Amino acid sequence: MTTTYAVLSEGLQKRYGEVHALRGLDLAVPEGSVCGVLGPNGAGKTTAVRVLTTLVRPDAGSARVAGHDVVRDPAGVRKRIAVTGQYASVDGDLTGAENLRLFARLLRAPRARADELLERFGLTAAAGRPARTYSGGMRRRLDLAASLLVPPRVLFLDEPTTGLDPHSRNGIWDAVRGLASEGTTVLLTTQYLEEADQLADDIVLIDEGRAAQRGTPAELKALVGSYAEVVVADPAALVAAAAVLDRLTGSAPVLDAERRTVGAVTTDGTLTLPRLVREIDAAGVLIVDASLRPPTLDEVFLRLTGRKELVP
Ligand code: ATP
């Protein structure tokens, strides 16, 4: 079976004066998948989204979105995408229902679609209230609903849950999962690694305008290895335990005096829990607990972007 890509870019470059925001970005997002785009501040994520949504012209390279070239056929791209993010476009003085019906008229979408989306995003009960009375999560859901009045082939979600509480975040996550299960391709930029872990089929780590690393969340975690952590009886012994972890794992240990823990990522597949405990014990440190677990995406991210040696 051949894969169809909803977003395909090759060698995208964009300069702002002296700043190389994109230095040859390659992306390949299969149709119907959720791609999480992560990267430190200034990595080029927003610029990439701006190029792919035809707001900014690349200096070099090419990109096709929903089968249309972003430079040669920007109108073709725009017709097939929706963009939504942290800056809700809803009008606070109109009710939720009025907002959606207004957008539906502007976009020539059926009014029934507006009502269906209100229902789907759990906004039916609040549909008659001015949007300014909505919580942050409800506003984002309304904004997301507005962008789906005409079902897009590709949905660009720019930091959709920034600033939301965990409950509201879950609501948005459910909505994104629902869209993905119906086959909408989603390109999600986020600062929250847990969000990417929850939603993304594939993750692209952008660093200095290039894709520094890509893979499924599990593949990226496997690249980093495991996270070894020990709890010691006496916080004064943390430094001695850290020295052993440093030697065994080769990565900088993280100390937490309050939890009396020290931990480090390890790419050494031969590091076993008994060996870790034995060597810390031999250093005269009393251990209360020890564990070796898969790393979180946060730890992967820190390792891959904060310490350059793993980035090709
Ligand atoms: P953040 O996570 O902080 O939003 P980002 O990964 O989205 O960062 P971009 O906003 O794409 O990164 O910025 C990449 C680089 O390009 C940065 O150094 C930024 O200062 C620069 N840049 C972006 N837009 C402009 C612009 N309009 N004019 C000048 N420089 C810009």
Side-chain angles (χ1 to χ4, degrees):
M1 209 177 78
T2 51
T3 310
T4 315
Y5 294 99
V7 177
L8 193 61
S9 81
E10 261 177 34
L12 280 185
Q13 296 198 31
K14 181 70 198 172
R15 268 175 88 140
Y16 293 107
E18 290 301 295
V19 180
H20 261 105
L22 297 178
R23 295 168 182 260
L25 179 68
D26 299 334
L27 287 176
V29 183
E31 202 149 85
S33 69
V34 179
C35 175
V37 174
L38 308 175
N41 289 336
K45 303 178 297 291
T46 306
T47 306
V49 170
R50 292 176 74 83
V51 168
L52 296 172
T53 55
T54 77
L55 294 174
V56 162
R57 241 181 115 96
D59 299 330
S62 64
R64 291 176 77 78
V65 174
H68 295 257
D69 190 285
V70 294
V71 174
R72 281 195 292 266
D73 185 13
V77 172
R78 274 184 230 136
K79 245 187 261 169
R80 291 167 178 84
I81 64 170
V83 189
T84 181
Q86 40 184 328
Y87 305 109
S89 53
V90 299
D91 183 333
D93 288 334
L94 300 181
T95 67
E98 285 166 349
N99 263 292
L100 276 199
R101 287 171 192 160
L102 176 66
F103 280 118
R105 264 208 311 283
L106 293 172
L107 297 166
R108 299 178 203 286
R111 180 186 164 128
R113 172 85 180 153
D115 296 337
E116 178 197 317
L117 286 163
L118 282 171
E119 172 82 39
R120 168 159 177 184
F121 288 116
L123 294 168
T124 306
R129 270 174 32 206
R132 73 180 123 75
T133 67
Y134 284 15
S135 67
M138 290 164 80
R139 277 181 88 107
R140 296 282 172 90
R141 294 209 300 277
L142 187 60
D143 190 47
L144 187 54
S147 67
L148 298 172
L149 282 162
V150 178
R153 291 265 303 279
V154 186
L155 174 66
F156 289 86
L157 279 176
D158 190 17
E159 303 196 7
T161 62
T162 296
L164 295 187
D165 61 49
H167 176 73
S168 307
R169 188 171 294 174
N170 277 327
I172 297 278
W173 287 357
D174 284 344
V176 175
R177 283 193 196 101
L179 287 172
S181 72
E182 288 163 15
T184 306
T185 307
V186 180
L187 193 136
L188 163 82
T189 57
T190 181
Q191 305 262 357
Y192 299 121
L193 297 163
E194 197 203 340
E195 181 156 282
D197 208 358
Q198 290 277 336
L199 299 178
D201 298 304
D202 291 298
I203 288 176
V204 178
L205 275 181
I206 298 190
D207 201 13
E208 297 180 352
R210 282 191 201 95
Q213 207 61 256
R214 61 183 92 223
T216 64
E219 282 166 353
L220 291 181
K221 288 176 190 177
L223 207 62
V224 167
S226 320
Y227 190 83
E229 189 172 76
V230 294
V231 186
V232 300
D234 178 4
L238 278 176
V239 175
V244 177
L245 265 177
D246 191 13
R247 177 164 55 76
L248 292 182
T249 66
S251 53
V254 179
L255 281 79
D256 184 337
E258 207 167 299
R259 289 173 52 233
R260 289 179 287 136
T261 62
V262 56
V265 291
T266 169
T267 47
D268 179 0
T270 63
L271 180 65
T272 60
L273 206 53
R275 179 166 166 226
L276 180 68
V277 171
R278 230 173 14 246
E279 300 212 12
I280 292 178
D281 187 52
V285 176
L286 189 60
I287 297 175
V288 179
D289 198 6
S291 60
L292 210 51
R293 59 161 171 79
T296 62
L297 264 191
D298 275 296
E299 287 149 2
V300 172
F301 186 68
L302 187 69
R303 176 80 191 202
L304 295 181
T305 62
R307 297 177 55 122
K308 297 286 178 196
E309 65 270 22
L310 278 184
V311 178

